[in-house]
Amino acid sequence: MSHTGGPAPRRRRRSRIWLVLLVVVSMLFGVGLGVAGSWAYRTGWFEQGDPVSFDTAGGPMGTAPEGGSAAKNPEPGAPLSEAAAKTLLPTGPKAEFTTQNSISDGTKIAVTTLAGKKSGFTGKVWVWAPKEYFDPKYAQSGFPVLIALPGGNGYPNNYWMGTDLKLQSSIAAWSKERKSLPFVVVMPVLNPDAKYYYDGSDIPGQPRMGTWMTEDVPDFVRANFRTFKSRDGWAFMGSSSGAFVGLKSVLKHPDRFKAVIASGPDTVPDSPLWKGHEAERAANAPEKLAAALSKQPSAPDKDVYLAFQVGTREPGVENVRRFTEKYGKGRVKTRLNVIENGSHNAKTYVGSMAEGSIQWLSEHMQGPIAGP
């Protein structure tokens, strides 16, 4: 019996059986699925490290099935469909992605290293595309982008790239239930190290994390994915410090980003690295940015949509409530979901998104457009 055709499939079947048993035991004893996931990585269940492609309109494994094809630019002079008129096809250069994780529908969370040309910062970025992205009927259409940011230091990993918080699997389910658009989820590192918070900003003398987050990361997404030309296809979500960065980025660049889900957010820049740079700090303060926008008349092509989530057990609940009441006017549209008995917890925030935040966000954004 050859080495390539013999016992390997049997080992994979055994691995699957043991994985199911481990998940059941983990659930029964409250150990958590992180144990099962770690074991699955070691056994090769998720094929961690294998190449991943997002080039084609084929299947969720990144390869085109028979009849599938890559999106192509229309011929010069040809009439544009609605999808083609609104869509920016990948501009390149293509990044090299490897598998980080998988979810149950076969789609993969991939990772690459991005050298930011504008910020000068180099860091990891994780990405996930929903199953609809690979459907041939959307081959010429862009997809909305959700830049997902973690709480804490967000370095060296972005915790949304794991499966334990169920962000990607939830979006996959919600899109089938018409509660959410099928977002491409992008998960960059939040900070350049684990020592300080950099507030997603260009603090003088420090790595330019504001430029990284609002220019380099979107440029990278446009290089590798079918996106929309307008801000209608661009949003943030985040928790705690990541919520601050998403909130501030939308308010500071309303011409580039339309919406954010900010869960348990900070609302003031609090990095110790701002010391001696008060003018720059003020220029990155969500309250000052929101105040300026709220004084301008509402306009459909200029309004921003801020969906806040905060738990009743969080100390910041009243601060968030005051923010929405004070600035939720003019060009600033707000929605507040107060989570009963909710605490400062990312898993709580994901589950609460289904209570209306993700649908409200989706209703104000551009979804993929099916071809004829």
Side-chain angles (χ1 to χ4, degrees), residues 170-193:
S170 294
I171 289 176
W174 295 333
S175 65
K176 291 180 180 178
E177 298 167 1
R178 300 187 180 276
K179 293 180 180 178
S180 171
L181 294 176
F183 290 96
V184 170
V185 180
V186 181
M187 301 152 277
V189 292
L190 183 61
N191 290 300
D193 57 54

Side-chain angles (χ1 to χ4, degrees), residues 149 190 198-203 208-214 236-238 240-257 259-262 265-270 274 280-290 293 304 306 308 323:
L149 305 178
L190 183 61
Y198 291 72
D199 285 341
S201 303
D202 290 356
I203 301 175
R208 301 176 64 200
M209 300 312 292
T211 299
W212 157 263
M213 196 65 68
T214 62
F236 280 89
M237 67 150 283
S240 193
S241 56
F244 168 87
V245 174
L247 174 65
K248 187 265 296 189
S249 297
V250 171
L251 290 169
K252 191 170 185 178
H253 303 288
D255 57 326
R256 304 179 199 171
F257 309 102
V260 61
I261 297 176
D266 303 322
T267 58
V268 295
D270 61 359
W274 287 115
E280 292 87 350
R281 180 181 182 275
N284 287 275
E287 293 181 356
K288 291 184 178 295
L289 294 165
L293 289 179
V304 293
L306 317 178
F308 292 96
F323 189 102

Side-chain angles (χ1 to χ4, degrees), residues 41 46-52 97-101 109-111:
Y41 288 148
F46 290 132
E47 300 174 342
Q48 189 179 29
D50 282 2
V52 180
F97 295 101
T98 56
T99 303
Q100 173 70 52
N101 214 331
I109 300 168
V111 62

Side-chain angles (χ1 to χ4, degrees), residues 318-331:
E318 290 306 317
N319 178 58
V320 173
R321 196 187 302 275
R322 283 193 299 269
F323 189 102
T324 60
E325 292 173 352
K326 186 173 183 178
Y327 304 117
K329 53 190 174 182
R331 286 179 55 188

Side-chain angles (χ1 to χ4, degrees), residues 113-126:
T113 298
L114 169 64
K117 292 183 179 179
K118 296 177 181 177
S119 68
F121 173 70
T122 296
K124 287 186 177 181
V125 182
W126 292 264

